[in-house]
Amino acid sequence: MNFNEFKNKLIEIRRLQSAVALLNWDQQVYMPPEGVGERSRTIAALAGLIHQKFISKELESDLLILRKRQSRLTTKRKAVVREVWRDFSREKKLPQKFVEELARAASSGYSIWKEARKKSDFNLFVPQLKKIVNLKRKEAEYVGYKNSPYDALIDVYEPGVVSEEISAIFFELKSFLIPFIKKIKNSSVKIDPNCIMGNFDTKKQIDVFKSIIKKIGFDFEKGRLDETTHPFCTNFHPCDVRITTRFSKNDVMYCFSSVIHEMGHALYEQGILPENFGTPLGESVSLGIHESQSRLWEKIVGQSKHFWVYFYPLLKKNFQDPFVNVSLEEFYRIINLVKPSLIRTESDEVTYNLHIILRFEIEKELIEGSIDVADLPEIWNQKIEEYLGLKVKKDALGVLQDVHWSGGDFGYFPTYTLGNLYAAQFYAAAKNDIPGLEKKVSLGQFSPLLGWLRSKIHMHGKFYTAGDLVRNITGENLSTKYFVDYLAKKYKDIYKLKI
Ligand code: ZN
């Protein structure tokens, strides 16, 4: 067995995964409702086939041979073996019966959660969520961990990062955010978002936003933008990356923020080297690093003044009313309005992170067994009041708002805030490396920044771990410093704060 034979087996598995991704994309974009049943059976059949191929004796023996030969492999090949072995050993540790039980619990968890959310009754969800939490704790036992069982779950999404590290980082961030949000709340600056509401043609919205992301660097020869209820990005190959968005007739920024967010994910996928397709060098580092790419474009660049210096005339030209009567300064303040919300997905970039921190704190304790599922609404509501000063009146607007736990996705939430922190730290490094970066953005020159992200992050796939990547690019470990500085500087100006 030589390395290329091994690589070809990985590529074959990846092609099957691409087929599943395409079926999923189609299900959300085009499929008629009656097709759902058969579609999930088709996906389940393919998923079973992929799993069998991945944990096959054949692949195991290849991996064992390559691990023995490690010293003779190139560093890139070593990284491939390291990463495939990571995934392989995790999957191997989970008994087939357990995987099926978890999949069933997650699938019925979704419909039970949906019903409970509709009725805003957490009690309806309690027995199923208890079952899912127990299964996830069992998963952690199968997989193994050093300190906290929650670490074994985070590892799937953010390899190598443990809850102790996240706790320390989140504690620092929380200590900054809570008083900072109070200062913003007490500011005399009042912002009225209604000034940019109107009646906007959806076809026109899509045309304008397509032209913006094309200008930034999204390659429409290697990707598409379509409409769905929940925006997402998926890819079948670096040459075929799909993003989706949603519309509001009254608010163009509703659509734009999801287009530019998903574009950030897509630029990462389009920047993967095609020759690495199928191997870990053709995959993103982690969910946190992926999210750093979407948040960097959506928030740090896409909500900056220099970005709109270039694009605001385009909005004015295409939509005219109401933008002709709103100055760039005012528009900039409106799109950066800070307003605590009960709903995570409707939150601004400042308050958003407290939503994540509270979910992280709850998840950690749930998985470690120090709190009970039945007590979640009370704990949730207390934290929302403490962090955001809001009262939760209905579970649908509180503990029941997110789908993640119903599908067993514990350990996923922290990657959202890690993404914000990575993004700010990367962007600070990019500003150092690219003279006049923001001036360039205001002139519509995006290739220096995109080229920088490509060469520093995208093209390496999983060669580096997230920790190594951050240290290589920025010279230090992940820290809250850059994100805190970014928020403080930006919002001090917008809200005329004294800090
Ligand atoms: Zn995202």
Side-chain angles (χ1 to χ4, degrees):
M1 189 271 310
N2 65 38
F3 187 83
N4 282 329
E5 286 169 350
F6 171 67
K7 184 177 169 184
N8 286 336
K9 287 173 198 163
L10 297 180
I11 293 173
E12 195 185 324
I13 293 172
R14 178 61 169 93
R15 288 190 172 131
L16 289 168
Q17 287 168 336
S18 292
V20 171
L22 174 61
L23 291 173
N24 273 318
W25 173 86
D26 172 73
Q27 180 166 349
Q28 301 201 47
V29 176
Y30 281 127
M31 206 180 66
E34 292 285 309
V36 175
E38 185 49 26
R39 178 58 51 87
S40 21
R41 287 187 282 278
T42 308
I43 290 174
L46 276 169
L49 193 64
I50 292 166
H51 181 71
Q52 277 167 22
K53 278 192 176 290
F54 190 65
I55 57 152
S56 67
K57 283 265 167 277
E58 209 187 328
L59 205 80
E60 182 171 23
S61 96
D62 287 2
L63 273 168
L64 292 172
I65 294 168
L66 287 167
R67 275 168 63 81
K68 267 192 205 140
R69 275 192 219 152
Q70 280 212 49
S71 56
R72 282 179 282 148
L73 295 176
T74 62
T75 50
K76 283 190 177 163
R77 290 182 171 183
K78 245 186 234 169
V80 170
V81 174
R82 175 195 79 209
E83 289 302 319
V84 178
W85 178 254
R86 257 182 64 83
D87 291 344
F88 175 84
S89 29
R90 185 181 180 102
E91 283 212 28
K92 210 50 187 180
K93 284 178 191 163
L94 300 174
Q96 186 63 25
K97 265 204 152 109
F98 171 79
V99 174
E100 286 165 13
E101 196 184 350
L102 184 62
R104 275 195 304 273
S107 150
S108 39
Y110 176 72
S111 36
I112 296 169
W113 163 78
K114 228 175 144 183
E115 187 63 18
R117 189 175 73 156
K118 205 170 133 199
K119 296 189 172 143
S120 195
D121 183 355
F122 184 71
N123 288 332
L124 291 178
F125 190 37
V126 170
Q128 190 65 16
L129 186 57
K130 270 191 181 160
K131 199 168 165 187
I132 294 170
V133 169
N134 284 335
L135 286 168
K136 294 307 280 188
R137 294 172 68 180
K138 212 164 156 187
E139 181 179 328
E141 297 306 322
Y142 280 129
V143 175
Y145 55 87
K146 260 197 205 135
N147 294 317
S148 163
Y150 186 40
D151 295 347
L153 307 182
I154 297 171
D155 201 61
V156 179
Y157 308 109
E158 206 59 25
V161 176
V162 292
S163 56
E164 200 183 343
E165 252 174 280
I166 302 178
S167 291
I169 288 177
F170 282 9
F171 181 77
E172 255 181 55
L173 188 58
K174 186 167 84 172
S175 312
F176 163 76
L177 287 173
I178 296 175
F180 188 61
I181 291 165
K182 281 195 183 127
K183 279 188 187 144
I184 292 179
K185 216 174 153 189
N186 294 331
S187 159
S188 57
V189 176
K190 299 291 172 230
I191 298 169
D192 177 14
N194 291 317
C195 302
I196 59 163
M197 298 296 147
N199 192 1
F200 306 104
D201 179 50
T202 48
K203 166 88 175 58
K204 196 159 208 178
Q205 291 190 43
I206 205 80
D207 288 346
V208 172
F209 299 148
K210 268 186 174 172
S211 75
I212 293 181
I213 62 170
K214 194 174 171 197
K215 175 78 188 164
I216 296 172
F218 182 87
D219 186 345
F220 278 93
E221 296 297 314
K222 295 177 180 167
R224 281 182 60 90
L225 169 63
D226 292 274
E227 190 185 343
T228 45
T229 324
H230 302 288
F232 66 96
C233 169
T234 187
N235 74 91
F236 319 131
H237 186 272
C239 294
D240 193 350
V241 181
R242 310 291 176 96
I243 56 174
T244 68
T245 187
R246 54 187 179 184
F247 295 98
S248 154
K249 271 235 133 246
N250 307 324
D251 180 6
V252 287
M253 295 311 286
Y254 179 76
C255 173
F256 181 68
S257 61
S258 67
V259 170
I260 190 166
H261 180 95
E262 300 309 333
M263 177 213 71
H265 285 303
L267 291 180
Y268 192 175
E269 295 298 342
Q270 289 186 337
I272 293 280
L273 301 178
E275 68 255 37
N276 291 331
F277 174 72
T279 78
L281 301 182
E283 286 169 23
S284 62
V285 181
S286 68
L287 281 192
I289 299 292
H290 226 307
E291 194 66 7
S292 78
Q293 300 305 288
S294 57
R295 300 290 282 193
L296 187 144
W297 287 105
E298 180 202 349
K299 300 291 182 195
I300 302 181
V301 177
Q303 286 180 205
S304 70
K305 212 181 284 173
H306 23 275
F307 180 86
W308 289 103
V309 164
Y310 185 74
F311 282 119
Y312 198 48
L314 187 78
L315 280 197
K316 283 189 166 174
K317 188 174 141 228
N318 281 281
F319 300 111
Q320 300 195 356
D321 191 41
F323 299 105
V324 281
N325 299 317
V326 176
S327 68
L328 173 64
E329 284 292 326
E330 206 178 344
F331 175 74
Y332 168 69
R333 280 196 294 272
I334 292 171
I335 60 171
N336 286 295
L337 170 73
V338 175
K339 192 172 182 234
S341 162
L342 290 173
I343 306 296
R344 175 183 65 87
T345 54
E346 291 170 10
S347 298
D348 56 81
E349 66 177 333
V350 183
T351 56
Y352 184 87
N353 298 289
L354 289 172
H355 283 272
I356 300 306
I357 293 171
L358 99 90
R359 284 158 178 77
F360 164 78
E361 291 170 345
I362 289 176
E363 283 192 350
K364 184 171 183 295
E365 292 199 52
L366 255 187
I367 299 298
E368 288 176 353
S370 49
I371 56 175
D372 270 347
V373 167
D375 298 330
L376 284 187
E378 201 190 323
I379 298 170
W380 182 286
N381 299 353
Q382 265 172 11
K383 281 185 189 278
I384 283 283
E385 190 163 2
E386 185 191 338
Y387 297 173
L388 295 168
L390 300 173
K391 280 205 187 309
V392 182
K393 300 221 172 72
K394 283 168 75 177
D395 289 341
L397 302 175
V399 67
L400 282 173
Q401 66 183 270
D402 284 309
V403 63
H404 304 58
W405 293 342
S406 76
D409 291 332
F410 287 87
Y412 192 116
F413 280 123
T415 68
Y416 290 124
T417 286
L418 291 176
N420 285 331
L421 300 177
Y422 288 131
Q425 197 160 332
F426 289 150
Y427 192 72
K431 276 212 299 198
N432 268 336
D433 289 355
I434 308 167
L437 170 62
E438 296 183 334
K439 176 81 189 154
K440 288 185 165 70
V441 167
S442 70
L443 295 168
Q445 296 166 8
F446 297 99
S447 54
L449 179 57
L450 180 54
W452 188 91
L453 295 169
R454 289 260 146 97
S455 70
K456 299 281 180 184
I457 302 167
H458 304 174
M459 63 176 283
H460 302 294
K462 261 195 167 81
F463 182 72
Y464 301 111
T465 61
D468 286 341
L469 193 70
V470 175
R471 280 184 291 275
N472 290 345
I473 297 174
T474 71
E476 51 190 304
N477 288 330
L478 179 67
S479 124
T480 56
K481 191 170 89 197
Y482 297 94
F483 186 60
V484 164
D485 285 354
Y486 158 74
L487 291 181
K489 188 165 174 272
K490 181 172 174 180
Y491 290 92
K492 189 181 163 196
D493 170 46
I494 294 176
Y495 282 95
K496 312 225 178 307
L497 306 176
K498 288 182 201 75
I499 30 175

